Amino acid sequence: MLALHLKEAFFHLSQNSIDSVQCGKRFSEWDEYMHVDRPIEDKLIDKMNEIDDVGGGIILLVGSAGDGKSHLISRIRQISDWKDESFYNDATASSSPKKTAIDTLKEALVEYKDSNLYLTNKKLVLAINLGKLNALIEDIEFKAEYKEIVNVAWSIFNDDATPSSSTSRVKIIPFSKEQIFEFDLSSTEALPVNSNFLHSIMGKIVARTENNPFYKAYKEDLAEDVSPKDPLILNYQLLSMPEVRNTIVMTVIEAIICYRLIITPREFLDFLYSIMVYP
């Protein structure tokens, strides 16, 4: 008998799972349990407060696929008093077969044209991928009518530009500046690094609490007489060991540093699925 309950739980981490793509609207129970606070959440809240102080404006939340933009927006929706229409998550979507995603974006951003920007009381967090942002600020019409947004956004693509080129009404938060590990100045190890984020994710998976869906599935499988030698059962027990989790964290960080890999949260979750669930 196979550990089907635990396998189903781990499938939520796979990139093939529907849970791997957030809609940016609300947290499911699964999202709620797996959420881990990240520094970028505080940065976004700070920028939103700055926009509140001046009465209106736009925040560009820029990154790549799988880095957590949609997850972050879902989280912020829960804890902020900004209305639902103040969050624009899917910048790749078109509102009509006759319109491009860029056309749809320009319609959505009318309040933030140069002519309206300092008059509007509207507020917006726009989650957008680097490629789509580049296409937007290269659009001739957009360049002409949204100079302030273009100038702020251009700093991401210009190595010589000041990294923090936000204005009072246009803010930018690049996910590219975020890393999933940090230097540990107190460490005496040869590689003085650690990752609170990666440790927290795995800590949630192995937590011996009743609200942990992984631990609940593990106990259900054992109660149904799944063999204690089942590979997934054994892998789960191995992952429960702090030494094993630490080895995983350090190996991932070493790969990032040595091979200049960009590992997103979504990719890390899929990696955990791939090493836990045997083929």
Side-chain angles (χ1 to χ4, degrees):
M1 193 171 179
L2 301 176
L4 296 179
H5 294 297
L6 195 51
K7 183 176 181 179
E8 181 180 353
F10 270 100
F11 183 70
H12 284 276
L13 307 184
S14 167
Q15 292 205 38
N16 293 323
S17 167
I18 190 172
D19 294 298
S20 71
V21 180
Q22 254 285 342
C23 65
K25 291 186 177 179
R26 61 185 63 86
F27 268 3
S28 64
E29 288 185 16
W30 187 267
D31 297 319
E32 193 70 55
Y33 178 74
M34 289 301 295
H35 175 73
V36 173
D37 290 337
R38 300 171 68 186
I40 198 166
E41 182 178 318
D42 294 330
K43 292 179 183 178
L44 178 53
I45 291 173
D46 288 343
K47 296 299 182 186
M48 291 170 68
N49 288 337
E50 291 173 14
I51 292 294
D52 279 333
D53 289 342
V54 297
I58 183 172
I59 301 169
L60 305 175
L61 188 61
V62 186
S64 56
D67 56 14
K69 295 185 298 300
S70 298
H71 182 91
L72 177 57
I73 282 183
S74 297
R75 167 68 172 169
I76 295 298
R77 280 178 187 268
Q78 290 184 316
I79 62 177
S80 81
D81 58 359
W82 284 28
K83 298 178 181 177
D84 282 347
E85 57 265 29
S86 295
F87 299 92
Y88 193 116
N89 185 51
D90 194 357
T92 61
S94 170
S95 61
S96 165
K98 296 181 180 180
K99 294 178 182 177
T100 66
I102 297 298
D103 292 333
T104 301
L105 263 176
K106 286 191 288 188
E107 289 181 357
L109 300 181
V110 167
E111 288 285 332
Y112 311 100
K113 284 183 177 183
D114 295 332
S115 56
N116 299 330
L117 184 59
Y118 286 83
L119 301 175
T120 187
N121 60 2
K122 300 287 185 181
K123 300 175 288 189
L124 186 70
V125 175
L126 171 65
I128 186 168
N129 285 351
L130 277 168
K132 188 59 64 178
L133 178 63
N134 185 61
L136 180 66
I137 64 176
E138 289 294 337
D139 181 86
I140 294 176
E141 182 180 284
F142 195 84
K143 277 184 177 180
E145 299 182 336
Y146 297 81
K147 292 186 179 69
E148 189 156 331
I149 291 179
V150 169
N151 289 337
V152 170
W154 182 243
S155 66
I156 290 184
F157 303 99
N158 184 0
D159 292 337
D160 297 326
T162 304
S164 179
S165 59
S166 297
T167 66
S168 63
R169 292 252 170 172
V170 181
K171 313 291 181 181
I172 191 162
I173 301 177
F175 262 86
S176 59
K177 303 296 182 183
E178 297 298 308
Q179 188 52 273
I180 60 174
F181 71 91
E182 55 276 345
F183 288 98
D184 185 356
L185 298 179
S186 64
S187 174
T188 58
E189 300 294 327
L191 194 62
V193 291
N194 212 327
S195 174
N196 179 66
F197 178 72
L198 300 185
H199 274 295
S200 296
I201 287 290
M202 290 189 290
K204 283 180 171 286
I205 292 173
V206 300
R208 292 176 174 268
T209 58
E210 291 305 316
N211 67 328
N212 176 5
F214 296 94
Y215 184 61
K216 182 180 178 182
Y218 167 74
K219 291 207 304 182
E220 287 175 348
D221 281 328
L222 291 181
E224 294 177 7
D225 293 327
V226 171
S227 170
K229 293 184 178 181
D230 180 281
L232 184 50
I233 294 293
L234 291 174
N235 282 345
Y236 188 73
Q237 291 169 348
L238 282 170
L239 192 67
S240 298
M241 299 170 62
E243 299 88 350
V244 172
R245 298 199 299 276
N246 188 64
T247 297
I248 292 172
V249 169
M250 297 307 289
T251 302
V252 169
I253 294 174
E254 186 172 0
I256 292 172
I257 294 173
C258 293
Y259 301 105
R260 298 183 181 180
L261 299 181
I262 298 175
I263 298 179
T264 65
R266 187 189 299 173
E267 288 168 335
F268 179 69
L269 294 177
D270 187 68
F271 167 70
L272 287 178
Y273 169 76
S274 71
I275 64 175
M276 293 296 294
V277 181
Y278 53 96

